[in-house]
């Protein structure tokens, strides 16, 4: 079974630009969550999608948005990039039931200059 | 929403010693508590998890304890080895997974 795949792996953007990150979950998994990882801040929850609907949302500004497609693939968009958005963005997939193991992708390293 | 606090942020032990990492959570609706290990440059991976109907779970050198009344849960690693060196994250789940800020464990030979 293929694991969780994130593209691209690395991205460099300029302040003010927007960016779209992609996550393909494990086949059969319907839940995709997104996290921002920065040194000292751990894994901060952005949002979770299940069956194309946002099921939960963390405390991030509206510049961070996402969506999920009918094949469970998910995209995350960040508009009007700020220097502080530089981070590793991880997605994680789960079958759908809440209390199950989350499988992480390798992440997308976003650098804003 | 759920808030998870994790201590210590760094932990250094001698090979063969035990290591303990502690977490507290705020949402009494949380009923699933996994622990993830993240090695340098790699993705986080589940090492053990516990559900709220269980007080303790063990898997070889790793154990997790849960005190629902106090909203505490802990990871215990015995007979530590250099390959245990990594960042460890606890998490609590009312529905979504909320993580602590991580503990960097260093095991010195």
């Amino acid at each position: 079974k293929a694991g969780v795949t994130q593209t691209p792996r690395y991205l460099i953007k300029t302040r003010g630009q927007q960016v779209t990150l992609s996550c393909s979950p494990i086949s059969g998994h319907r839940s995709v969550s997104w996290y921002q990882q920065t040194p000292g801040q751990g894994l901060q929850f952005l949002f979770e999608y299940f069956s194309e609907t946002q099921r939960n949302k963390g405390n991030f500004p509206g510049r961070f948005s996402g969506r999920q497609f009918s094949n469970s693939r998910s995209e995350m968009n960040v508009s009007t990039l700020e220097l502080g958005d530089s981070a590793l963005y991880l997605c994680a997939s789960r079958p759908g039931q809440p209390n199950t193991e989350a499988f992480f992708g390798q992440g997308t390293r976003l650098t804003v200059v | 929403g759920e808030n998870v606090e994790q201590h210590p942020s760094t932990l250094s032990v001698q090979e063969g010693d035990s290591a303990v990492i502690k977490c507290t959570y705020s949402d009494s609706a949380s009923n699933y508590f996994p622990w993830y290990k993240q090695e340098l440059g790699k993705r986080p991976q589940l090492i053990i998890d516990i559900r709220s109907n269980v007080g303790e779970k063990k898997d070889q050198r790793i154990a997790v304890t849960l005190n629902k009344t106090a909203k505490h849960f802990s990871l215990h690693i015995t007979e530590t080895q250099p390959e245990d060196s990594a960042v460890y994250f606890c998490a609590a789940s009312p529905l979504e997974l909320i993580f602590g800020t991580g503990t960097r464990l260093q095991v010195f030979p």
Side-chain angles (χ1 to χ4, degrees):
Chain A
K1 215 180 214 185
V4 181
T5 304
Q6 289 187 247
T7 56
R9 291 290 310 279
Y10 303 92
L11 211 45
I12 300 175
K13 289 287 187 179
T14 305
R15 265 184 308 173
Q17 286 187 313
Q18 75 164 16
V19 67
T20 299
L21 313 182
S22 179
C23 174
S24 293
I26 291 172
S27 177
H29 284 194
R30 296 164 63 192
S31 163
V32 175
S33 297
W34 288 89
Y35 294 87
Q36 181 192 68
Q37 185 172 27
T38 53
Q41 293 297 313
L43 295 159
Q44 293 188 281
F45 174 71
L46 283 152
F47 29 65
E48 179 188 14
Y49 285 87
F50 176 77
S51 292
E52 302 179 66
T53 301
Q54 188 179 86
R55 184 156 72 173
N56 292 289
K57 189 178 189 306
N59 296 325
F60 277 81
R63 299 186 297 107
F64 292 82
S65 63
R67 57 179 176 168
Q68 187 179 34
F69 302 94
S70 58
N71 62 356
S72 293
R73 190 178 71 87
S74 178
E75 287 183 346
M76 189 191 94
N77 185 76
V78 188
S79 62
T80 320
L81 283 165
E82 299 176 0
L83 295 178
D85 296 333
S86 295
L88 180 67
Y89 290 88
L90 290 160
C91 76
S93 80
R94 292 193 283 179
Q97 302 92 318
N99 297 339
T100 53
E101 179 180 358
F103 294 84
F104 283 87
Q106 291 270 39
T108 294
R109 172 76 60 186
L110 172 65
T111 302
V112 183
V113 297
Chain B
E2 176 62 276
N3 182 52
V4 179
E5 294 191 358
Q6 182 172 347
H7 300 281
S9 56
T10 60
L11 181 58
S12 296
V13 299
Q14 204 75 32
E15 182 178 359
D17 287 350
S18 295
V20 180
I21 302 170
K22 298 183 178 182
C23 289
T24 60
Y25 63 99
S26 61
D27 191 342
S28 55
S30 287
N31 53 15
Y32 176 62
F33 307 90
W35 287 85
Y36 283 76
K37 176 183 180 183
Q38 186 177 29
E39 297 176 356
L40 191 62
K42 296 190 176 180
R43 69 190 80 190
Q45 291 193 297
L46 181 76
I47 55 171
I48 195 167
D49 57 11
I50 191 168
R51 290 174 174 78
S52 59
N53 58 345
V54 176
E56 185 174 357
K57 184 176 178 181
K58 197 171 180 181
D59 182 4
Q60 299 183 342
R61 297 185 297 108
I62 293 173
V64 58
T65 58
L66 171 65
N67 182 329
K68 281 219 78 178
T69 304
K71 297 196 182 78
H72 289 171
F73 57 115
S74 301
L75 177 72
H76 304 253
I77 305 174
T78 58
E79 301 171 22
T80 53
Q81 301 166 3
E83 51 266 38
D84 293 329
S85 297
V87 178
Y88 291 81
F89 292 98
C90 63
S93 176
L95 188 62
E96 70 277 22
L97 267 181
I98 302 300
F99 286 85
T101 49
T103 296
R104 181 172 299 280
L105 173 64
Q106 291 182 300
V107 180
F108 293 97

